[in-house]
Amino acid sequence: MKWLTNNRTSVIYTIVLLLSMFLMYTGLTKVWEGDLFYHNIIDSPIFGGESMALVTSWVFPFLEILTAMALLWSKTRRLGLFMALGLFLAITIYLVSNIYFSESIPCTCRTFFSMLDWQGHLYPTLGCLVITVLTIILYPTKTKRTSTYKTHFVAQQSQE
């Protein structure tokens, strides 16, 4: 535990970098193979209709890429972690609902995830979900800063 306390920042940056690379990869893959992702969604019984599939096939990759960029910038990193948490929750719900409540499971993966079945897709997603929650817990909270004017004013008052 002492090691984690001493290397907390390095651990957080490493996890954030890995999550960002994973989300950027999956987002860009969905954009490059947009027709496949669209047909995967439209064939899913969870999303009903072409309009929902069309909106989801554009919004979801955009959110993945936006989240990946938010994780890399220090000012938006906390927001990016919560966005990643939301995305991983959504993916987990989608996978679980397809595995347990769907009669036919659409799968059109062409990447290295193609060797996994739908339950196999669930494990990396759950792993990313747990890692994201742990990173949010480890992430330092903001401290209150006093303005320099206030500090200067108090310093002058104490000298008098």
Side-chain angles (χ1 to χ4, degrees):
M1 194 67 174
K2 186 177 180 180
W3 179 87
L4 182 61
T5 307
N6 293 339
N7 298 308
R8 180 177 169 176
T9 306
S10 298
V11 168
I12 289 171
Y13 287 146
T14 303
I15 291 171
V16 163
L17 183 63
L18 291 172
L19 287 174
S20 180
M21 288 179 1
F22 181 73
L23 287 168
M24 185 65 75
Y25 169 77
T26 57
L28 289 175
T29 301
K30 287 178 180 112
V31 170
W32 286 325
E33 298 178 348
D35 61 328
L36 250 123
F37 183 56
Y38 171 77
H39 290 294
N40 190 6
I41 292 172
I42 206 166
D43 290 341
S44 172
I46 307 306
F47 293 102
E50 290 182 31
S51 59
M52 185 64 168
L54 183 64
V55 169
T56 305
S57 68
W58 282 102
V59 169
F60 206 79
F62 173 76
L63 285 175
E64 285 179 325
I65 293 167
L66 186 68
T67 302
M69 292 188 316
L71 286 170
L72 293 176
W73 194 29
S74 62
K75 291 184 179 184
T76 59
R77 189 164 292 136
R78 179 176 289 283
L79 174 65
L81 283 168
F82 283 104
M83 289 171 65
L85 178 66
L87 285 171
F88 289 127
L89 274 172
I91 295 167
T92 303
I93 291 168
Y94 175 72
L95 288 171
V96 168
S97 60
N98 270 326
I99 291 169
Y100 294 108
F101 303 114
S102 177
E103 293 173 11
S104 64
I105 299 175
C107 190
T108 54
C109 296
R110 288 187 192 162
T111 61
F112 66 90
F113 288 114
S114 64
M115 64 185 111
L116 299 174
D117 61 351
W118 276 74
Q119 288 178 332
H121 278 79
L122 188 59
Y123 299 123
T125 305
L126 285 173
C128 288
L129 183 67
V130 169
I131 288 171
T132 303
V133 169
L134 292 175
T135 307
I136 289 171
I137 292 169
L138 282 175
Y139 201 79
T141 57
K142 286 188 174 183
T143 57
K144 289 186 178 180
R145 290 185 177 179
T146 56
S147 68
T148 53
Y149 172 76
K150 201 176 202 180
T151 308
H152 182 67
F153 180 74
V154 170
Q156 280 184 340
Q157 291 291 332
S158 64
Q159 288 177 357
E160 291 176 2

